[in-house]
Amino acid sequence: MEDFDLDHVDRAILRVLQEEGDISQAALSEKVGASPASCWRRIKALESAGVLGRTVRLVDPDKIGKGLNVFCQVKMKTHDPATRRDFEQFIASYREVLECYSMSGEWDYLIRAVVADVREYEGLLMRGILTHEAVLSSSSHFSLKCVKYTTALPTNVSR
């Protein structure tokens, strides 16, 4: 993907849209100091360049009974590309898994799962993650409280 040059108005648009994804064109243009037509063109250009992805709504996990965040570190038996691809597809199939990162260091993957309680996580771990033939071991860490959570990326720094 090519770099996309962002000027101060583009960065302002990104800042506002990350906080208020459902803002009207009129309100956005007022906040960033550009005309509604200019904002619309810029948003379309940012979408075309892949800078802006799909629009989603954030759900409060506690309100839907999924308030337990678990971070699971996974160590693999082997690191060949086919096995890693297979494991990554396997993990992507679980709706409870919100994030999965291939890591450097002692552990090969870091997985973030959101579940209702320890019993639900035990099911995911014992009848899911640990059943994959390439998994050697895992270590789970339960979040006691969320100190900071954001989906907004900093937009004030140039590349």
Side-chain angles (χ1 to χ4, degrees):
M1 181 180 193
E2 295 178 22
D3 285 348
F4 188 83
D5 289 326
L6 300 172
D7 66 15
H8 73 284
V9 175
D10 292 326
R11 290 180 188 284
I13 288 171
L14 293 176
R15 254 190 316 281
V16 172
L17 288 180
Q18 287 186 95
E19 296 296 325
E20 303 174 64
D22 60 348
I23 191 170
S24 71
Q25 290 288 333
L28 177 63
S29 69
E30 197 171 300
K31 284 191 176 204
V32 302
S35 73
S38 173
C39 285
W40 184 85
R41 281 191 303 277
R42 287 170 178 268
I43 289 171
K44 291 302 172 195
L46 291 165
E47 289 172 345
S48 294
V51 175
L52 282 175
R54 61 191 170 99
T55 302
V56 298
R57 296 295 302 254
L58 300 178
V59 176
D60 183 329
D62 291 321
K63 302 272 194 233
I64 62 164
K66 298 290 183 183
L68 182 61
N69 267 291
V70 185
F71 297 89
C72 177
Q73 297 169 301
V74 173
K75 191 176 292 187
M76 306 294 282
K77 292 176 188 172
T78 179
H79 297 96
D80 68 89
T83 301
R84 292 179 69 88
R85 263 191 313 279
D86 181 62
F87 176 75
E88 290 169 8
Q89 289 174 346
F90 172 77
I91 281 301
S93 72
Y94 287 92
R95 294 190 56 83
E96 302 93 337
V97 173
L98 300 187
E99 299 173 75
C100 178
Y101 300 93
S102 176
M103 304 295 290
S104 65
E106 183 179 346
W107 296 93
D108 299 308
Y109 288 95
L110 176 64
I111 296 166
R112 177 176 161 242
V114 177
V115 292
D117 53 28
V118 174
R119 176 173 283 155
E120 186 178 346
Y121 178 68
E122 178 192 21
L124 171 64
L125 182 65
M126 301 304 245
R127 292 183 296 282
I129 295 168
L130 293 179
T131 66
H132 193 278
E133 60 197 23
V135 172
L136 176 64
S137 63
S138 73
S139 176
S140 300
H141 308 272
F142 296 85
S143 169
L144 299 178
K145 115 178 147 175
C146 179
V147 176
K148 179 181 180 181
Y149 172 79
T150 183
T151 60
L153 298 173
T155 59
N156 57 345
V157 215
S158 60
R159 293 182 191 219

